[in-house]
Amino acid sequence: FGGTMLDPLYVAWVRDVLGSGPEIYALLLTAHSVAGIAGSLALGNWGARFAPRVLVGWTSFVAGAALIVKFDVPRLELAFALSLLGGATSVVSSVAIETLVQRTVREDFRGRVFAALGASGALFSLSGAVIGGAAAGVVGVTAMLNVAAGLVMVAGVVVLRALRSGEDAIDGRFATAGSD
């Protein structure tokens, strides 16, 4: 929800706050994408050292904090640097979520869980984009970007607190939740 609030507002932030045009917007997205590729390579090499919930929680928290700095300190150099960080954290978090589901949900429920995650994710994405865009007209683009970034941080904290231990998930406590 918070992550997709960023999407429609990012263009306005680049234009209105950074005072830049489509070329800078494209370069920022390219930096984000290149860092995402690098993040996936790093995750392939070192990801197994960390529990998926740790990767999801901390990368979400770090991404949200970086976004707040990025939007509140509108300097082009900083925006590029934090776009690199954001690209890496978004890939690591996405892959870790998939890994968490694969490790914690019983095989006979996995398809349904992935379908529910996909459907609810699409609904929250659409809602976040619509609400974020509408609210930015009232409170301003930077304020809504801060709300979105804050929601990303909160999501990270929730994952870290709610899924206290990767071992809990692996030994089956989460795998059988809701199947009784």
Side-chain angles (χ1 to χ4, degrees):
F1 183 76
T4 55
M5 272 188 190
L6 300 167
D7 297 338
L9 302 177
Y10 195 60
V11 174
W13 180 80
V14 168
R15 184 193 65 213
D16 298 343
V17 179
L18 280 183
S20 297
E23 299 83 10
I24 296 300
Y25 175 75
L27 288 172
L28 288 167
L29 291 182
T30 301
H32 188 273
S33 298
V34 168
I37 293 167
S40 66
L41 294 172
L43 184 63
N45 287 325
W46 300 297
R49 296 179 187 186
F50 304 97
R53 74 151 185 109
V54 169
L55 291 172
V56 173
W58 281 109
T59 57
S60 295
F61 186 82
V62 167
L67 287 168
I68 289 172
V69 172
K70 178 178 179 176
F71 298 134
D72 288 343
V73 184
R75 296 186 43 105
L76 192 55
E77 305 83 15
L78 185 61
F80 275 105
L82 294 175
S83 291
L84 292 170
L85 177 62
T89 58
S90 64
V91 166
V92 170
S93 182
S94 294
V95 172
I97 288 169
E98 301 254 341
T99 302
L100 186 63
V101 171
Q102 290 173 347
R103 286 186 181 175
T104 59
V105 176
R106 285 187 356 208
E107 187 175 345
D108 52 332
F109 288 101
R110 205 171 293 144
R112 287 178 250 178
V113 170
F114 274 119
L117 283 172
S120 61
L123 177 63
F124 282 120
S125 292
L126 178 61
S127 301
V130 169
I131 292 169
V138 177
V139 300
V141 170
T142 301
M144 277 315 297
L145 286 168
N146 282 325
V147 167
L151 289 172
V152 172
M153 289 177 69
V154 167
V157 171
V158 167
V159 167
L160 288 169
R161 299 284 295 157
L163 304 177
R164 290 181 304 278
S165 152
E167 292 76 36
D168 288 349
I170 292 168
D171 77 10
R173 284 186 243 171
F174 295 130
T176 58
S179 63
D180 296 335

